[in-house]
Amino acid sequence: MDMEGNDSEGGWKATLERVVPACVVLKTVTTRSFDTDAAGSGSATGFVVDKRRGIVLTNRHVVKTGPVMAEAVFLDREEMAIYPLYRDPVHDFGFMRFDPNGIEFMELQEIPLWPQSAQVGLEVKVIGNDSGEKISILGGTLARLDRDAPRYGSGYSDFNTFYFQAASGTKGGSSGSPVVNIHGHAVALNAGAKNKSASAFFLPLDRVVRALELVQESCRLPRDSTRLFWSHPTIPRGDIQVTWAYQGFEEVRRLGLSQECERMVRREVNTLPGTGMLVVEVVVPGGPAWEVLYPGDVLVKVNGKIIAHFLDLESLFDELVGEEIHLELERGGEVVHCSLVVEDLHAITPSRFVEFGGGTIQSLPYQVARVQQLTCGQVYVAEPGYMLQRAGLPRQSILTTVAGCPVGSLEQFTNVLSCLSHGEHVPVQFYTFSDRHRRYTIILHVDRKWYGEPKLWTRNDLAGVWSCQECGVCKACKPSRLEACTPAPYNSTSASLPTKPKDIPAQLLSSLALISFNLPTVAMVDGVHSDSFKGSGLVVFQSEELGLLLTDRNTVPIASGDLLVSFGAHPAEVTGKVRFLHPTHNFAICSYDPKELNETARNAVHPAEVCIGPPLQRGDSIQLVGMSKSMRPTGRVSTITCAAEPIVINIPDVPRYRSVHEEVVKVDHDFGSTFAGVLSDDYGRVRALWANFARQVSGREKEFCAGIPSSVFQPWVEYYQKCCTENFKEPTVVVLDATLVPMLLSRASTLGLPETWIERMVEKDPERRQVLKVAMCVAGSHAATVLKEADIILEINGTLVTTFADTFTALEKDMLPSQEGLDGGPESITMTIFREGELSRVRIHPGVETSLGTLHLVHWAGALIQPTPRAVKELGFLPAGGGVYVSRWQYGSPAHRYGIYALHWITHINNSSTPDLASFKLMVQDFVHGSFVRLSLMDLHGKTKVISLKVDHIYWPTWELALDASTGEWTRTMLQNKL
């Protein structure tokens, strides 16, 4: 316990010994964005005000208005679950409750509330915690009792009350701290501070005392039992949706207050500060006072009684909820009389929200409505989430219509949701706070595969958690499986060359497309570095049932996402699916359903003619063709400067896919680092994919474009067509589980490579004069047990290799497996290597990778768990006993609260190993909600740590996503969650 300040009286020591044990550290996790709070975690302070009932007083911004999970840590470091009980709709205080029978090792203390003892010059102590670590005591002196409520920006701020001000520099984590006098009574509640001026702001406790008494009445204490029986607390709170400002007499006089009225108020009012009156500052549109009261009106009487203090006005409103009141005001020197009905504050404080596509939709809260001058109850987007954000809806928007139906309330919004089907495209109209006079329209693609059905969450303070039920459940469109289709015959060589077209870009426009690829947060696996990608695509096949597109992996990096294709041949858009991702080369194959196109568009789209041979040479003339963002064909004649330039892309800080063993085509003129398309010969035949590559340079993302020869991707396009004509089986890709890089022969000669081998290399490739050396091996592979870094590869299966293309040729029979698959695995290969001055021959089993990357992932405790991706294995390290890989975590989740972060393996749970995803999934399904589990984590450097985590199946249930390779569809499945 830290003691700050010089105690002038010995009585403080005894007081603090009695008061400090009543203070608790509150560790909270806001599980969803709601109202003015974003999802996240934090720490604060509270103090026990009723030890028999287990009631803790703290700030409203700690209790939160949305779903929250919290633990209370007492002075002796006992930790207990604590639940929200009540939060005031306006003022910054709230109550939480815990089970006092669960405290075993200390005697509970409580701090009595004594607001009447607050006075200027009173010496006080603020008992908080030092950023969630330990109890910290700060001294101060009350300097003002009539300060305006502090404003904290665009989020929650208190209003319609005075605050106390003291010279006391409170720290982070001190929110909710008791402000006590020397007798151990709480005279105020710490709420905020200004660090620059070392000033603290305290909330008076007058209305807190009333609320506490009503909360206590909702808990019955039987004499013969220690069990507590709670009922829902009922605390009447009234308002007319007006923000009042306390202004001195000199100011209200300038507003037109008559001298007679001023004399009357000065004579009758004896409550502090007594030097001013209440003036209307803000009137919320649509509220009881809208177009009745106006800013600048000076309040004189309510129901015939002079009111010149916040406390008097609020007390009156709370007593008359739902009843009519009569107000007397002065407006510009004229007396105005009006009648209003006091509104229930709880009715305009949201207690429900719809979770839709990863976003939070709720009624517009009073706090936001008064700041933004909008009507309460409108459909408010607290967090757009994946689906709405993908459509272009910003945060803090107001929805007006969905699918042509007005949505003026949350009930109307949920009714419209029940009519929307999976896969449907509907218009959504909205406006924003900054541009409220204009209505924007977006097209929403309804997609329920990533986040499931919409859920309606309702606050239940009696249970301490929010209840959840599905809303808007409807029949989903059934995904169609790939049906048999006959590919068009392909011939890479022709007996006679076709006629040269006059306008090659215009001809290829019928084969080009723009691709938009969006990734939901819950499916961002394999270290992918963005949630949105755009690029170019090439139609390589189309039949009545199936269309295939070729693109690069900087446009479609992983399989879990939503693909939208816009064709250059005709103004048409269709959804697509990711069907093939090459694990080492920078190309991907996607599919679309031609039946989604109308007849005109279908006839306008033509697959490109791809030509493999003869190989491109330096100096060849080539056409670089692509589409601009406005869907216009763009092309230019260029000259090949290098037909096979090896590129080496280092592993980024967050391991993800990178192109390896790639030899690309370079030209003398292009359209910049991000313009992708194709390289065409003079006959309009595609000779290379002009692909976009990504690399990380000094921590920053850099892009460049280069050509991938058709000989690299076209065999896979033809093979995938074959897969679709027979009983579908996911293709597998045979790879060399070692990363090779070029080395100059001169350097190899210096290392001792025999001259006879150098001569053979020069004779084979007199231009490049290079060999390939091992840069790294994939962890856990057979190659890692045989090869070492800096080994020079000379031959594969007796064939001399000097380029990446040579390795593909040597492995050709394994690179394209038969449709029967590789049940026994690929055959081993023989390598001749040069290591540390000696030649040797080794046998290596090539690796086999899936053609779609990660096919299965599990969400547990808000963490995205997946098998270790190849990109991580390329670092050369894996945990000895295996483990599952944490790819991402979500704010407000147990993973966030307890520290399960990305780039770690979970190797053990409760001392049981988790070698793979299947064993992990079985293990976590046995955990009960609220139980603690021990996790062993290991980072990418092999450093281990052990943490504990509290399981939360209410807000963060366990579920999985799995990909069906035959349909390209992802399926979301809820796993068993024990409550």
Side-chain angles (χ1 to χ4, degrees):
M1 182 173 68
D2 292 342
M3 298 289 294
E4 300 188 20
N6 183 20
D7 292 342
S8 58
E9 303 179 25
W12 272 115
K13 181 178 180 181
T15 297
L16 294 176
E17 289 177 351
R18 184 175 68 254
V19 168
V20 168
C23 298
V24 297
V25 176
L26 299 175
K27 297 183 178 180
T28 63
V29 178
T30 308
T31 63
R32 299 291 189 277
S33 295
F34 183 78
D35 208 329
T36 58
D37 299 313
S41 65
S43 62
T45 305
F47 60 99
V48 179
V49 291
D50 189 328
K51 63 183 180 180
R52 295 182 62 199
R53 296 175 175 86
I55 301 176
V56 169
L57 173 63
T58 186
N59 289 132
R60 177 190 191 270
H61 69 263
V62 176
V63 179
K64 309 291 185 185
T65 56
V68 63
M69 299 295 285
E71 287 86 36
V73 182
F74 291 81
L75 183 63
D76 67 342
R77 310 302 290 181
E78 285 190 76
E79 184 179 72
M80 287 202 64
I82 190 167
Y83 303 97
L85 180 59
Y86 172 79
R87 80 284 301 140
D88 192 82
V90 171
H91 301 314
D92 198 8
F93 75 90
F95 298 104
M96 305 186 82
R97 63 178 176 88
F98 65 95
D99 183 4
N101 299 315
I103 299 296
E104 302 180 33
F105 303 103
M106 65 174 286
E107 182 179 353
L108 283 174
Q109 300 293 331
E110 65 183 26
I111 300 178
L113 306 183
W114 203 254
Q116 57 268 35
S117 65
Q119 57 183 346
V120 174
L122 178 68
E123 184 180 0
V124 294
K125 300 291 185 184
V126 182
I127 307 172
N129 72 78
D130 187 6
S131 302
E133 294 298 325
K134 53 186 177 180
I135 295 295
S136 177
I137 302 173
L138 301 172
T141 303
L142 295 184
R144 287 184 61 183
L145 304 182
D146 59 350
R147 190 201 184 281
D148 292 337
R151 298 184 180 182
Y152 303 118
S154 59
Y156 165 77
S157 293
D158 204 343
F159 60 98
N160 288 352
T161 184
F162 288 123
Y163 265 66
F164 301 162
Q165 182 174 336
S168 175
T170 56
K171 301 180 181 179
S174 61
S175 292
S177 302
V179 182
V180 299
N181 60 17
I182 196 170
H183 304 293
H185 299 153
V187 300
L189 178 67
N190 184 53
K194 278 187 177 180
N195 293 329
K196 292 183 178 180
S197 59
S199 296
F201 308 130
F202 306 144
L203 175 71
L205 297 179
D206 303 271
R207 304 308 289 168
V208 178
V209 171
R210 167 186 177 265
L212 176 60
E213 292 172 351
L214 293 174
V215 167
Q216 289 171 328
E217 292 177 3
S218 65
C219 180
R220 186 163 53 90
L221 293 170
R223 294 182 178 179
D224 56 348
S225 174
T226 59
R227 184 180 177 185
L228 304 177
F229 294 90
W230 285 94
S231 58
H232 197 284
T234 302
I235 303 176
R237 292 287 280 114
D239 198 63
I240 57 173
Q241 295 193 34
V242 171
T243 302
W244 304 89
Y246 187 84
Q247 296 186 0
F249 283 117
E250 79 286 358
E251 179 63 28
V252 294
R253 202 178 298 129
R254 288 193 289 268
L255 293 175
L257 183 70
S258 63
Q259 291 184 355
E260 298 85 61
C261 183
E262 181 180 346
R263 291 194 193 98
M264 177 183 65
V265 173
R266 285 181 179 271
R267 182 176 61 251
E268 296 293 332
V269 174
N270 54 14
T271 56
L272 293 176
T275 56
M277 300 176 70
L278 297 179
V279 179
V280 175
E281 184 178 44
V282 175
V283 181
V284 178
W290 180 244
E291 296 184 340
V292 178
L293 303 185
Y294 296 91
D297 289 354
V298 181
L299 179 65
V300 180
K301 295 180 180 180
V302 179
N303 287 349
K305 180 182 179 182
I306 295 176
I307 299 294
H309 195 284
F310 290 118
L311 185 60
D312 298 332
L313 181 64
E314 186 171 289
S315 299
L316 195 62
F317 284 164
D318 291 348
E319 293 172 0
L320 301 174
V321 175
E323 299 183 20
E324 187 177 69
I325 58 172
H326 305 282
L327 279 70
E328 179 183 324
L329 309 101
E330 286 208 7
R331 181 181 300 158
E334 296 183 2
V335 177
V336 176
H337 295 274
C338 61
S339 297
L340 299 172
V341 176
V342 178
E343 189 174 39
D344 184 3
L345 261 178
H346 297 299
I348 57 174
T349 302
S351 59
R352 300 185 304 164
F353 69 89
V354 174
E355 191 172 21
F356 177 55
T360 302
I361 316 296
Q362 64 171 96
S363 299
L364 183 66
Y366 180 33
Q367 287 283 342
V368 178
R370 77 176 190 92
V371 173
Q372 299 296 336
Q373 280 290 276
L374 295 171
T375 304
C376 292
Q378 300 181 77
V379 180
Y380 171 66
V381 181
E383 181 64 45
Y386 168 67
M387 194 185 308
L388 294 174
Q389 191 174 40
R390 176 190 174 194
L393 189 76
R395 188 171 178 265
Q396 295 184 331
S397 301
I398 302 295
L399 303 184
T400 56
T401 65
V402 176
C405 302
V407 286
S409 65
L410 197 63
E411 288 75 15
Q412 291 179 341
F413 178 73
T414 56
N415 290 336
V416 174
L417 280 186
S418 64
C419 301
L420 303 182
S421 301
H422 172 75
E424 191 174 355
H425 291 77
V426 297
V428 175
Q429 191 179 81
F430 70 97
Y431 67 90
T432 62
F433 294 160
S434 60
D435 198 3
R436 64 190 62 196
H437 304 299
R438 183 183 303 177
R439 298 296 181 266
Y440 296 91
T441 300
I442 58 174
I443 303 299
L444 175 66
H445 177 212
V446 181
D447 187 344
R448 301 183 176 180
K449 66 175 176 289
W450 303 116
Y451 292 90
E453 297 292 343
K455 299 178 180 63
L456 177 64
W457 291 86
T458 305
R459 183 192 298 133
N460 185 351
D461 284 332
L462 192 59
V465 295
W466 289 54
S467 59
C468 173
Q469 65 182 45
E470 290 187 346
C471 68
V473 179
C474 66
K475 294 182 180 180
C477 298
K478 185 178 180 180
S480 59
R481 297 177 66 89
L482 286 178
E483 300 180 7
C485 53
T486 304
Y490 170 78
N491 188 357
S492 60
T493 60
S494 303
S496 59
L497 292 175
T499 304
K500 292 184 179 181
K502 294 182 180 180
D503 191 347
I504 292 177
Q507 173 183 308
L508 285 174
L509 184 64
S510 63
S511 306
L512 293 174
L514 292 182
I515 294 176
S516 175
F517 190 63
N518 293 281
L519 290 78
T521 305
V522 295
M524 293 179 66
V525 295
D526 297 351
V528 63
H529 61 290
S530 177
D531 60 2
S532 180
F533 296 85
K534 295 182 184 296
S536 179
L538 177 70
V539 179
V540 291
F541 174 78
Q542 181 173 293
S543 68
E544 292 184 359
E545 305 292 340
L546 176 69
L548 294 180
L549 284 161
L550 183 72
T551 187
D552 56 66
R553 288 201 61 179
N554 200 38
T555 300
V556 180
I558 60 177
S560 51
D562 291 313
L563 192 74
L564 187 65
V565 182
S566 303
F567 293 95
H570 188 81
E573 285 185 345
V574 297
T575 57
K577 301 174 183 176
V578 182
R579 307 317 299 264
F580 181 87
L581 299 169
H582 200 283
T584 58
H585 289 307
N586 185 25
F587 71 87
I589 301 174
C590 306
S591 71
Y592 64 92
D593 187 354
K595 294 192 293 294
E596 293 185 13
L597 297 169
N598 59 41
E599 185 177 358
T600 303
R602 226 172 16 247
N603 294 332
V605 176
H606 299 289
E609 181 183 357
V610 180
C611 180
I612 292 182
L616 295 173
Q617 301 292 332
R618 183 180 52 179
D620 287 351
S621 178
I622 202 79
Q623 285 254 16
L624 173 56
V625 180
M627 270 197 312
S628 66
K629 293 181 180 179
S630 58
M631 308 290 288
R632 295 182 179 180
T634 304
R636 73 184 306 164
V637 177
S638 300
T639 301
I640 295 177
T641 58
C642 183
E645 179 176 314
I647 58 173
V648 177
I649 299 177
N650 295 323
I651 299 176
D653 296 337
V654 177
R656 65 172 189 260
Y657 163 80
R658 63 191 177 109
S659 179
V660 296
H661 301 167
E662 200 87 82
E663 292 174 333
V664 298
V665 180
K666 289 287 189 176
V667 298
D668 56 351
H669 298 293
D670 56 24
F671 291 104
S673 61
T674 60
F675 182 88
V678 297
L679 295 181
S680 165
D681 61 18
D682 293 338
Y683 299 96
R685 300 175 302 182
V686 174
R687 301 302 309 278
L689 177 70
W690 192 248
N692 189 268
F693 292 78
R695 70 181 354 147
Q696 196 175 78
V697 180
S698 300
R700 301 182 63 183
E701 296 295 328
K702 300 289 185 180
E703 294 184 353
F704 66 95
C705 288
I708 301 176
S710 56
S711 58
V712 174
F713 61 78
Q714 185 58 25
W716 283 104
V717 173
E718 295 175 352
Y719 176 67
Y720 195 80
Q721 293 175 19
K722 182 181 178 182
C723 289
C724 297
T725 62
E726 306 174 14
N727 294 327
F728 186 90
K729 185 173 183 179
E730 181 200 353
T732 53
V733 184
V734 177
V735 294
L736 185 63
D737 283 333
T739 301
L740 309 180
V741 294
M743 172 190 283
L744 293 175
L745 276 176
S746 57
R747 177 61 179 166
S749 175
T750 303
L751 295 176
L753 183 65
E755 188 65 26
T756 54
W757 284 96
I758 294 177
E759 292 175 358
R760 292 179 61 188
M761 298 289 183
V762 172
E763 182 181 358
K764 181 181 182 302
D765 192 347
E767 181 176 345
R768 276 173 281 207
R769 300 187 178 189
Q770 66 180 25
V771 290
L772 301 178
K773 74 168 184 176
V774 177
M776 63 186 69
C777 292
V778 175
S781 66
H782 182 256
T785 65
V786 178
L787 297 178
K788 295 182 178 181
E789 293 182 6
D791 284 354
I792 297 177
I793 310 300
L794 303 175
E795 289 181 333
I796 299 179
N797 288 342
T799 302
L800 202 65
V801 292
T802 61
T803 65
F804 297 145
D806 292 338
T807 64
F808 306 146
T809 302
L811 296 172
E812 187 173 8
K813 64 183 179 65
D814 284 331
M815 292 300 291
L816 292 175
S818 64
Q819 185 61 24
E820 287 73 21
L822 292 169
D823 296 333
E827 297 180 1
S828 62
I829 59 175
T830 302
M831 281 188 173
T832 303
I833 65 173
F834 180 74
R835 177 189 298 167
E836 297 177 354
E838 295 183 359
L839 294 167
S840 61
R841 288 190 177 183
V842 296
R843 296 191 66 82
I844 295 176
H845 297 292
V848 178
E849 295 287 341
T850 69
S851 61
L852 285 168
T854 297
L855 306 176
H856 186 200
L857 55 99
V858 172
H859 276 263
W860 178 71
L864 194 162
I865 313 296
Q866 66 166 98
T868 305
R870 179 181 175 86
V872 175
K873 295 178 183 178
E874 288 179 345
L875 293 173
F877 172 76
L878 283 174
V884 290
Y885 185 70
V886 181
S887 190
R888 296 184 69 85
W889 52 270
Q890 297 187 60
Y891 284 100
S893 66
H896 178 204
R897 163 71 173 82
Y898 296 99
I900 304 180
Y901 296 135
L903 308 182
H904 283 78
W905 286 281
I906 299 176
T907 60
H908 293 80
I909 300 181
N910 290 342
N911 297 330
S912 297
S913 62
T914 55
D916 51 41
L917 199 61
S919 60
F920 175 84
K921 186 173 70 171
L922 289 174
M923 194 176 301
V924 298
Q925 290 185 81
D926 291 333
F927 298 143
V928 179
H929 171 76
S931 62
F932 275 90
V933 296
R934 295 185 309 278
L935 303 176
S936 295
L937 304 178
M938 181 179 293
D939 66 14
L940 298 182
H941 303 291
K943 183 180 179 180
T944 61
K945 66 176 181 179
V946 177
I947 65 171
S948 61
L949 176 142
K950 188 177 182 180
V951 177
D952 179 0
H953 287 328
I954 295 177
Y955 302 115
W956 301 100
T958 306
W959 55 280
E960 64 180 338
L961 281 171
L963 176 62
D964 183 348
S966 65
T967 63
E969 290 287 346
W970 287 85
T971 303
R972 186 179 191 269
T973 305
M974 296 297 297
L975 301 180
Q976 180 179 354
N977 295 277
K978 296 182 180 180
L979 297 178

